[in-house]
Amino acid sequence: MTERNTYQDRKGTKVEPYRIKVVEPIPVTTREQREQALRRVHYNLFGLRADEVTVDLLTDSGTGALSAAQWAAGFAGDESYAGSRSFHRFRDVVRDLTSYPCVLPVHQGRAAERILFSSLLAPGQITLGNTHFDTTRANVELIGCRAVDLPCAEARDLDSDERFKGNIDLRRLEEALRGPDARRIGLVVMTLTSNGGAGQPVSMDNLARAAALCRGHGVPLFLDAARFAENAWLVTRHEAAYRDMSPRQVAERAFRLADGCLMSAKKDGIAHIGGFLGLRDPALAERCELLLIATEGFPTYGGLAGRDLEMVAQGLVEVTDPRYLRSRAETARHLARLVRDAGVDIVEPPGLHALYLNAGRLLPHIAAHRFPGHALACQLYLEGGIRSVELGSLYLGEEDENGEPVTAAPCELVRLALPRRTYGLSHLNHVGETLAAVAKARERIPGYRLVERPALLRHFRCKLEPVPWTGP
Ligand SMILES: *Cc1c(COP(=O)(O)O)cnc(C)c1O
C-alpha cells in the first residue's frame, strides 16, 4: 500500500490498529457505593479516588496507554545526570519534527510556559492567542502580563459544523499588532488544537497568515503544540491544499512557521509525564536554560528521568501514524453518534481529544448558578461510574457571598475527554447507554449549591450540595 492509501482510504477497516498486551482491572461499583462516595467528597468529582471510577474521562493528559516500543525504550533509558544518551535521542527526534535547534526538556507543559514567559516577557506586556489554555494564561498573569484571546467569530456558534473553529481572528490580530498597544505585545501563541475552545483545530492557512503578520511586526510566534498531531490529522481531512500530505508532513510545516513551541508531552507525546520547549533563537534559549537549571534540572534531563525522555521520543514518532490518528478520530465520532442518539447536543464538530456536552441545553430547569454542567457530571457518575469534568459556571462563573449569581459562563458544558489508546468501544458504549438513561430522566436531576468555595481555582477544591428542584 502506498502511504497515500494508508491515510486517505476512507473505506479502511475500522479496527483499532493495536491489540492489548497488558491489562489493568477497572473497578465496578454499586449505585449505593457511588452515592456514598459522592456525599463523602461533597459532590466534587476531583475528590473521588480513582478506585471509585469505572470509566475515567476526566482528562486525556498523561492517561494514554504506552506502546510496547515505548516501554522497551524506557528500559533502555540512560539515567546519567549529564550527557545522557536518552537526551540525545530525545533532542534528535524533537529537532527532526520541529526544526528547532534548541530543545529544553521539562517535566510538563506548564514548566515550559513559566520558563519561556519569564525569559521573554516583562511585567505590563500583553500576549495574544487564539485561546490561551488555563495554565498558559496563569503563567502569563503570574509575571504581571495580560493574556488576550482573539478567537475567530465562528467559534461562538456551538452548533455549526465549521471545520476550523480554533482559528485566530486575523483581522483583530492585525488591528492589535498595529494598534496603540502594539509595543506592549510580547508574543503570540497559537494553541493546536484549541483546548480552551472545545478542541477545535487551527487551519494551516490561518496559522501561515498569523505567522506572516507576526513576522511583519517583529513579534515572536510560538505554538502551544500539546495536540499538534490531532490538529495535523484534521488539516489533512478538511483543508483541501493538505489532502495529499501525511499528518507528519503537516505537523512539520506547522512547526516551521513558528519561532518555537511549548509542548506538554502528556497529550500528543502519549507519555505519562514530560514536555519540552523548542526554540530557534540561541540567545533566548540560553536565558531559558539558566532558569531550567535552577528550577527543573540540568539541560540534558530537565526534571525527567532518562526513561521518560525515551518514552516521549518514541511517542512523538508514533503519534503521527495515520492509522492511529484515523482510529482516534473514529473513536470520537463513534461516541459523538451515541451522544446525539441519546438526545444530547455536543459542541460541533467533534474534535479528537474530547466531546463537549451542551448541559445548559439539556437541563434548562437548572439556572447557571446551580451549575447544570456539574449536575450532569454528577449524574453520569451516579448512573454509570463515569467521571467527566464541568466547563461552565462552576469553572468560570462568579457568585456573591450569598450564592447569588454575579457572572455566568458563556455556556454550560461537560467535557468527556478521551485518553489515548486506553478505552475500547465497549467502554464508550457504556458511556452512551449511561447518558441515554440520564437524559431520559433529565427533569429530576437536581442543581447544586456551593457550600465552601476557595478563593482560587475553586472547581478543584470547592464543596457542594444538591438543591432539589421544586417547580417554577
Ligand atoms: C495540558 C496543556 C498545557 C499544560 O501542560 P501540562 O503538561 O498539563 O503542564 C498547556 N497547553 C495546553 C493546550 C494543554 O492542553
Side-chain angles (χ1 to χ4, degrees), residues 301-454:
Y301 73 88
L304 294 170
R307 61 175 173 274
D308 299 323
L309 293 167
E310 293 278 352
M311 287 170 168
V312 171
Q314 180 61 27
L316 289 173
V317 172
E318 292 176 12
V319 74
T320 51
D321 177 353
R323 292 183 312 156
Y324 156 74
L325 287 166
R326 172 200 294 285
S327 161
R328 185 151 170 77
E330 190 51 46
T331 301
R333 268 203 303 276
H334 176 75
L335 185 58
R337 276 192 296 272
L338 296 176
V339 171
R340 293 190 200 104
D341 289 350
V344 179
D345 290 334
I346 57 170
V347 178
E348 298 283 356
L352 267 66
H353 87 284
L355 295 186
Y356 292 73
L357 312 182
N358 192 331
R361 198 175 288 164
L362 182 72
L363 305 173
H365 62 285
I366 303 178
H369 71 296
R370 293 288 173 254
F371 312 123
H374 184 73
L376 178 57
C378 285
Q379 212 62 26
L380 282 171
Y381 177 70
L382 276 177
E383 189 73 30
I386 297 155
R387 180 154 63 173
S388 54
V389 66
E390 190 254 18
L391 293 173
S393 290
L394 183 57
Y395 176 54
L396 292 170
E398 270 179 86
E399 297 80 39
D400 64 19
E401 318 77 68
N402 305 318
E404 294 305 317
V406 177
T407 51
C411 39
E412 305 294 336
L413 303 176
V414 172
R415 186 180 76 173
L416 304 179
L418 298 168
R420 291 168 183 76
R421 307 190 291 209
T422 304
Y423 292 116
L425 293 187
S426 65
H427 298 109
L428 299 187
N429 291 343
H430 170 69
V431 175
E433 284 162 22
T434 303
L435 190 59
V438 166
K440 227 169 166 180
R442 66 176 87 175
E443 302 81 17
R444 292 200 292 276
I445 297 176
Y448 286 80
R449 138 177 349 111
L450 280 164
V451 291
E452 219 177 284
R453 67 190 95 211

Side-chain angles (χ1 to χ4, degrees), residues 61 108-111 113 133 135-136 191 193 195 224 226-227 264-267 274:
S61 179
Q108 60 184 83
R110 64 198 72 184
E113 292 164 357
F133 179 64
T135 61
T136 318
T191 305
T193 58
N195 193 6
D224 180 345
R227 297 179 184 80
S264 166
K266 300 174 71 172
K267 286 66 171 248

